[in-house]
Amino acid sequence: SISYGLNGLHINGVPELDALIIGGGFAGVYQLKHLRDAGYKVKLVESGSDYGGVWYWNRYPGARVDSAIPVYEFSDPDLWKTWSWKQRFPGSAELRAYFAHVADVWDLRRDTEFDAFVESAVWNDYEAKWTIKTRKGDVYKAKFFLPNTGFAAKRYIPDWKGIDSFRGTFLHPSYWPHEEPDLRGKKVAVIGTGSTGIQIATDLAPIAGELVVFRRTINTSMPMRQVNYEDGDQEIPREDYPDFYRGRTDSFGGFDFNFIGRSTFDDGLKERLETYEKLWASGDFKFWLATYHDMLSDKYANREAYNFWRDKTRAKIHDPRVRDLLAPMNPPYSFGCKRVSLENGFFEIFNEPHVHLVDVNSTPIEEITPRGIKTPEKEWEFDYIICATGFDSLTGGLKQIDIRGPSGQSLEEHWRDATYTYLGMSVSGFPNMFFSYGPQAPSPFCNGPTCAQLQGDWILNLMNHMRERGLEKVEAERRSEKKWRNLVVKIANATLLPETRSWYMGDNIPGKPREPLLYLGGVPTYYKTLGETAKNGYTGFKLE
Ligand code: N01
């Protein structure tokens, strides 16, 4: 039966959509607003109870973005003219407030379904539509399936013996309880020193009774240089915002800065140190992504950067053992080839007598016990174990949904041995499906809102192109995704990244294929490639 419900056309009770979007983060909400404005019937489905994406989930103490304002927001004047930030690097609660503002200004709620985890999406070739089902039993049909699951939708907890036996509270930071646990005076373990682990440890050190950080690999964190804004005060004048936002796609990382046009050893020692000092003092990711252009590709240039970081960092740490563990004289991997984090006093916490550092390389976690954590050295007792061990990044969030194309093959099967995408947004055998901030795009090397906008605009333009021509189906050709994968690998191999074990290479998840998971050609080249593909009638795709 066909009926028109409050929300439009339903066939046999199933809502018929032009597009179903997964995810209430930057990419998802951008697409909801712009697809709807273009006249498409769209629904956004989100497993959380509100907008924010990673910022909805990551509520742990110290959770804070490490891209500065105003780069980390949408470019729409309707939003920034009516919004003022309190800090240069806002915390997760302020980011959620921003998302609520976006939802109001863009009137998003009427087309959003929360608390709905999409568990399957199956393509029906006869209807040229996806059938999408949520865990709570809702079913949708949509011409386009746009899973914006982001890069961190699937948490990773190592398979330690005894986790269930622990009598205290065991937490993964991305699923932090909405009712804030009171950690004052408690014995707390933080396992992992990625961006999450260092933020939590820094925030908990002043309040915990005892804090033990279990670390495996160094984190080459750099000073964040937080700034508190007075009322309405912002980093740059608002009249400059339009130019500022236009400039984001000219920057390698989608920021407001770029690598400098010189190699490390073009400068003599004195000039080089001056340059490093200047980058260091400005905070942000400048010492990583606004430095000499050969830093990530030349091992001598890279070592020079590491030495500078090392000396600055060692000077902050009193205990020689801790100093050697957190900032060793020789780097265990190339600087910047694992995610660099921004810190606000992380290294100094180890100068406090109640904060301890355990090196899991020499004293591994043998098991979680009812009382705490057992290493070969001793059994540590804890009230809380915070497992900041990261995510099955980039591919995990997509592979955990049962997505099946016309052949019946699932995405998980298609990607079992190696990831294939075309343009980091589409996959052969999966028509009318586009994801953003996923594998083989600049994703983790691109500021989130920049990527959400440029990929969202490209998807919308493609949908418009098809609508104008009465086309029903678009699918990446197999040879285009093979070529794209080869390009992604080739670019990565011209850098030092593949030599380092990191989640950029899939190394953090046991059994995950080892491969470069991101496009390292930079945002300007990626943006140009997307533009050229569109201009030439969407080369590399079959359109019917
Ligand atoms: O996760 P991670 P994350 N035994 O994978 C360790 C973004 N983010 O949640 O390095 C012991 O980086 C692991 O050790 P190693 C950002 O893009 C942004 O911290 O693999 N330790 C590592 O130290 C970031 O990169 C923000 O040797 C184990 C840690 O756990 C991404 O999210 C804030 C272990 C995992 O670090 C993920 O960050 C937070 C084991 N068996 C996150 N397994 C901001 O914007 C893993 N580890 C600031």
Side-chain angles (χ1 to χ4, degrees):
S1 69
I2 298 180
S3 64
Y4 286 89
L6 271 181
N7 295 318
L9 180 65
H10 289 57
I11 296 183
N12 294 327
V14 176
E16 292 268 332
L17 304 165
D18 292 314
L20 183 129
I21 296 166
I22 301 182
F26 277 105
V29 301
Y30 187 80
Q31 290 174 16
L32 172 52
K33 151 84 175 151
H34 290 87
L35 265 57
R36 204 177 55 186
D37 283 358
Y40 295 104
K41 192 163 157 354
V42 192
K43 185 100 188 166
L44 187 151
V45 172
E46 160 62 53
S47 62
S49 306
D50 213 333
Y51 300 105
V54 287
W55 302 112
Y56 171 80
W57 296 105
N58 287 273
R59 295 159 184 258
Y60 58 82
R64 156 175 322 287
V65 69
D66 52 14
S67 298
I69 294 309
V71 80
Y72 198 71
E73 59 182 290
F74 287 120
S75 65
D76 181 354
D78 287 347
L79 296 172
W80 53 254
K81 279 186 181 164
T82 50
W83 182 258
S84 294
W85 295 97
K86 295 190 183 72
Q87 291 190 303
R88 181 187 186 200
F89 297 94
S92 120
E94 194 178 2
L95 286 156
R96 285 194 295 282
Y98 174 71
F99 270 91
H101 169 67
V102 174
D104 288 345
V105 175
W106 283 357
D107 188 19
L108 300 176
R109 293 190 191 273
R110 64 188 157 97
D111 290 309
T112 302
E113 182 73 24
F114 289 116
D115 304 307
F117 182 91
V118 170
E119 58 179 12
S120 69
V122 178
W123 174 260
N124 179 324
D125 219 22
Y126 176 70
E127 293 179 306
K129 284 202 170 91
W130 288 93
T131 301
I132 298 126
K133 293 189 181 155
T134 68
R135 208 174 262 167
K136 63 179 178 182
D138 293 333
V139 182
Y140 302 92
K141 284 197 175 181
K143 186 165 164 187
F144 286 90
F145 174 51
L146 308 174
N148 294 293
T149 48
F151 80 103
K154 189 177 177 200
R155 67 182 157 172
Y156 168 62
I157 297 177
D159 191 14
W160 288 301
K161 191 174 144 210
I163 291 182
D164 291 339
S165 73
F166 181 54
R167 285 200 295 261
T169 307
F170 188 96
L171 294 169
H172 188 283
S174 69
Y175 288 75
W176 200 258
H178 288 207
E179 208 167 295
E180 185 68 37
D182 184 4
L183 292 134
R184 277 173 304 179
K186 299 289 191 316
K187 292 182 181 166
V188 184
V190 173
I191 308 173
T193 52
S195 305
T196 305
I198 65 148
Q199 288 188 331
I200 297 185
T202 308
D203 258 50
L204 289 188
I207 63 164
E210 184 178 35
L211 175 67
V212 184
V213 178
F214 292 79
R215 73 108 234 187
R216 188 163 68 182
T217 313
I218 67 163
N219 181 329
T220 56
S221 259
M222 313 177 307
M224 173 176 268
R225 312 268 184 234
Q226 177 67 288
V227 178
N228 293 325
Y229 296 135
E230 297 304 319
D231 253 1
D233 190 17
Q234 305 284 279
E235 195 82 6
I236 59 167
R238 280 194 175 74
E239 59 266 27
D240 294 347
Y241 275 25
D243 279 345
F244 176 89
Y245 287 124
R246 268 192 291 277
R248 283 195 299 199
T249 45
D250 296 331
S251 148
F252 179 87
F255 293 104
D256 55 335
F257 47 76
N258 252 320
F259 288 113
I260 45 185
R262 299 192 301 282
S263 298
T264 304
F265 299 105
D266 286 350
D267 280 353
L269 181 63
K270 185 167 166 290
E271 292 80 12
R272 190 159 60 248
L273 286 177
E274 278 167 13
T275 303
Y276 283 160
E277 287 288 357
K278 225 164 83 197
L279 295 168
W280 191 257
S282 20
D284 206 329
F285 287 133
K286 302 262 172 80
F287 190 74
W288 184 26
L289 299 175
T291 185
Y292 296 104
H293 69 76
D294 58 347
M295 195 277 280
L296 289 172
S297 55
D298 179 277
K299 66 179 178 181
Y300 299 103
N302 190 278
R303 179 63 197 252
E304 201 71 359
Y306 178 80
N307 289 353
F308 183 89
W309 173 85
R310 175 198 68 195
D311 295 347
K312 287 279 188 200
T313 306
R314 287 176 73 87
K316 299 175 185 172
I317 308 166
H318 299 167
D319 180 340
R321 182 192 75 95
V322 175
R323 206 183 289 148
D324 284 343
L325 284 173
L326 294 182
M329 291 309 290
N330 292 313
Y333 59 85
S334 300
F335 182 83
C337 291
K338 271 169 91 81
R339 170 66 148 74
V340 173
S341 310
L342 299 185
E343 54 88 29
N344 289 301
F346 170 68
F347 296 102
E348 289 86 345
I349 66 173
F350 297 97
N351 299 333
E352 299 292 326
H354 69 295
V355 180
H356 313 286
L357 183 68
V358 173
D359 172 33
V360 301
N361 302 300
S362 53
T363 47
I365 294 171
E366 289 180 334
E367 63 177 302
I368 311 291
T369 66
R371 295 195 305 178
I373 293 177
K374 191 168 172 310
T375 71
E377 206 180 33
K378 66 184 270 195
E379 182 181 6
W380 294 88
E381 279 184 40
F382 294 113
D383 304 305
Y384 286 86
I385 296 177
I386 299 170
C387 187
T389 45
F391 301 90
D392 181 350
S393 304
L394 293 156
T395 51
L398 291 165
K399 279 159 94 170
Q400 70 181 348
I401 305 170
D402 187 15
I403 304 175
R404 287 177 192 271
S407 71
Q409 193 195 38
S410 73
L411 186 67
E412 200 272 325
E413 285 156 2
H414 188 71
W415 281 354
R416 188 158 291 162
D417 300 325
T419 304
Y420 289 92
T421 78
Y422 180 42
L423 303 175
M425 279 194 283
S426 64
V427 185
S428 83
F430 296 83
N432 295 10
M433 176 181 90
F434 294 92
F435 45 81
S436 13
Y437 220 67
Q440 299 183 353
S443 313
F445 266 67
C446 177
N447 169 51
T450 309
C451 209
Q453 292 195 207
L454 76 87
Q455 291 184 321
D457 291 344
W458 187 89
I459 292 166
L460 173 61
N461 289 337
L462 168 59
M463 287 173 65
N464 289 342
H465 174 92
M466 291 174 66
R467 182 168 61 181
E468 283 154 20
R469 289 161 184 76
L471 298 167
E472 293 295 321
K473 199 167 134 183
V474 55
E475 185 183 337
E477 288 170 5
R478 177 69 179 142
R479 63 176 175 188
S480 0
E481 68 174 13
K482 280 189 176 163
K483 258 172 79 180
W484 186 256
R485 179 188 157 80
N486 287 343
L487 177 71
V488 165
V489 172
K490 193 171 149 200
I491 298 173
N493 284 342
T495 74
L496 299 167
L497 262 79
E499 290 173 18
T500 298
R501 291 184 60 74
S502 76
W503 63 258
Y504 295 153
M505 296 293 300
D507 290 311
N508 65 327
I509 303 298
K512 190 165 172 166
R514 182 162 213 276
E515 56 183 348
L517 280 165
L518 49 137
Y519 170 89
L520 282 169
V523 170
T525 314
Y526 181 69
Y527 186 56
K528 195 166 152 242
T529 307
L530 292 191
E532 279 166 3
T533 311
K535 207 171 97 207
N536 297 327
Y538 296 94
T539 41
F541 288 97
K542 252 186 321 216
L543 285 143
E544 297 169 24

